[in-house]
Amino acid sequence: MRVIGICRFSYPALGGFKRMHDTVEAREAYLYAAERMELRFAHFEALALPSIRAQTDPDFTFLIVIGERMPEPYLSRLHDLCASVPQIRIVPRPPQKHRLALQLAIQEELGANDEDTLQFRLDDDDAMGVDFVAQCRSVARRSGRLRRREPRMVIEFNSGYSARLSANGISAEPVITSFWACGLGVTFPAGDTRTVMNYGHHKLHHAMPAVIHPRPPMYIRAKHEDNDSAAKFRTGPLKPLDDAMRQLFRDRFNVDEAEICRIFADQAALRGKG
């Protein structure tokens, strides 16, 4: 089974954001503003990238969709950060509707599309468990009889953490959620023209069966001021990590609190210079 993940990194989509803009140029000006880009890079470097790099099953592709006009130094910075992760492909696209752009990126990666696939989404400011790919493959194998009757199927790991990152470290709380984009994948049969981006993640179970696992914890969902879905993203109070949680974050997500302190201290220093 082929595994393909996808995210957008400050892609100037036509729609797909809560904050609306009248023109593509206005959208790009908002997306590429220095303070916002520093926040996105800090979360990407602290959460998404380490968890992608540490996957125990390395046989997957991860597409990062960006705008064709992403300016320097951000374009080179993104390429430099991703250069050591062979699974990552950076895919520039012209401004299009959000879902269409990501659907096309997946379809182009599929090519002849002659294998069953498992496809997943990950926001650039979230992390997935280091065994996400391996666990999804295992569930897909063990549900082979179901998939022969229902070839499109959701595999969801519904427990994880809500977290806020800063130069002081990580504050977090455990959560159990329903069909968040992080922590789930969708199987598709060979030749299927649909992709994970043809569906709203929160309504996937309306269209296909779902296999739901409450363990192990499989995602970290970041909370911050530029979180586009903040209005829907309401969880309880966050608490600083204790030693056991610090070790769990390292083991489960390859996320290190000391490294996060360094990244966000650097971000604060750059903001201060601005």
Side-chain angles (χ1 to χ4, degrees):
M1 174 172 282
R2 191 172 177 189
V3 178
I4 299 174
I6 194 163
C7 82
R8 61 181 182 182
F9 191 94
S10 297
Y11 170 68
L14 306 177
F17 289 87
K18 298 298 181 185
R19 301 168 179 84
M20 299 304 296
H21 301 92
D22 294 332
T23 65
V24 171
E25 290 75 17
R27 170 66 52 88
E28 289 177 329
Y30 160 73
L31 290 176
Y32 301 143
E35 187 168 337
R36 180 187 179 279
M37 289 297 280
E38 290 302 327
L39 185 68
R40 303 311 300 198
F41 268 107
H43 282 84
F44 178 70
E45 188 177 353
L47 293 175
L49 190 59
S51 71
I52 295 165
R53 180 185 289 118
Q55 287 300 300
T56 58
D57 181 343
D59 185 14
F60 68 99
T61 302
F62 191 79
L63 308 175
I64 300 179
V65 175
I66 64 170
E68 291 182 325
R69 299 190 294 191
M70 179 181 280
E72 296 290 357
Y74 305 123
L75 181 60
S76 293
R77 183 175 173 184
L78 183 62
H79 277 276
D80 289 346
L81 281 171
C82 297
S84 63
V85 186
Q87 292 84 2
I88 292 178
R89 283 192 54 226
I90 296 173
V91 183
R93 293 207 65 88
Q96 294 172 302
K97 290 184 177 179
H98 164 235
R99 289 191 182 278
L100 176 62
L102 273 63
Q103 288 167 28
L104 292 173
I106 293 172
Q107 288 168 349
E108 290 170 8
E109 177 63 28
L110 284 171
N113 194 11
D114 54 4
E115 296 179 73
D116 290 358
T117 64
L118 183 131
Q119 301 170 20
F120 67 94
R121 301 169 57 177
L122 185 72
D123 286 350
D124 61 8
D125 55 354
D126 296 339
M128 59 182 175
V130 297
D131 56 352
F132 175 76
V133 172
Q135 291 273 9
C136 283
R137 282 192 197 278
S138 175
V139 174
R141 283 194 301 269
R142 288 181 283 125
S143 56
R145 292 179 65 181
L146 173 61
R147 290 196 300 112
R148 283 195 289 273
R149 299 173 67 95
E150 298 278 358
R152 296 176 188 152
M153 182 185 77
V154 185
I155 299 171
E156 186 192 26
F157 294 88
N158 65 351
S159 66
Y161 295 90
S162 170
R164 186 175 293 277
L165 313 184
S166 73
N168 296 319
I170 306 172
S171 295
E173 69 152 350
V175 293
I176 297 179
T177 58
S178 298
F179 298 97
W180 278 5
C182 47
L184 65 79
V186 182
T187 66
F188 294 89
D192 199 331
T193 58
R194 296 210 141 212
T195 74
V196 68
M197 295 307 305
N198 285 89
Y199 302 90
H201 58 83
H202 57 294
K203 292 185 177 180
L204 276 164
H205 57 303
H206 295 192
M208 62 191 77
V211 176
I212 300 173
H213 280 263
R215 55 189 178 274
M218 196 58 81
Y219 59 82
I220 300 173
R221 180 75 162 90
K223 299 180 78 167
H224 55 81
E225 56 267 30
D226 190 55
N227 199 300
D228 198 55
S229 57
K232 297 179 182 178
F233 183 38
R234 300 189 185 281
T235 57
L238 308 181
K239 298 180 181 178
L241 302 190
D242 59 21
D243 288 343
M245 286 290 291
R246 288 187 191 95
Q247 188 63 50
L248 184 146
F249 271 44
R250 285 193 292 268
D251 293 344
R252 287 293 312 144
F253 307 105
N254 194 33
V255 168
D256 184 81
E257 188 174 46
E259 181 67 3
I260 283 172
C261 291
R262 180 196 66 78
I263 291 169
F264 280 81
D266 289 348
Q267 185 218 12
L270 286 170
R271 206 163 53 223
K273 290 179 181 178

